[in-house]
Amino acid sequence: MPNSGMPDQRLHALAAVDEALQDPIRVLRTVTASADFDDALHALQDSFGWDEVQARLVMQLPIGNTHKDFRDRVAQDLQQHDH
């Protein structure tokens, strides 16, 4: 199994960020349809299959980080782990 030295927790977190950035509209719809922060966390977990840590991390993403350059950097970080 390839190992670039990326800690498993970081990889786990990046996977959720990458998924969220692939479909930011779905994330926004899920969050805006929620009654409050806790409801949004649970809705993201149910909708995307994330754990609480992943959902909290996605909730902290600034909307400005949905641009292509940021998405590409996250995807590249994940790809480096696979090699």
Side-chain angles (χ1 to χ4, degrees), residues 20-80:
L21 292 173
Q22 296 304 314
D23 197 355
I25 301 302
R26 181 175 163 211
V27 172
L28 288 172
R29 284 185 180 141
T30 302
V31 171
T32 58
S34 301
D36 58 25
F37 187 87
D38 287 336
D39 189 39
L41 281 179
H42 294 293
L44 287 172
Q45 289 173 279
D46 291 343
S47 182
F48 288 88
W50 297 330
D51 62 27
E52 184 176 347
V53 171
Q54 290 173 309
R56 283 185 182 278
L57 180 62
V58 168
M59 289 281 289
Q60 294 174 10
L61 285 175
I63 192 78
N65 282 349
T66 58
H67 58 78
K68 184 172 177 1
D69 180 58
F70 186 79
R71 293 191 318 261
D72 289 348
R73 284 186 280 151
V74 169
Q76 185 177 37
D77 221 0
L78 282 170
Q79 287 176 351
Q80 287 176 352

Side-chain angles (χ1 to χ4, degrees), residues 5-20:
M6 184 182 295
D8 289 342
Q9 288 179 326
R10 183 161 185 262
L11 179 62
H12 182 69
L14 275 177
V17 170
D18 185 55
E19 186 177 3

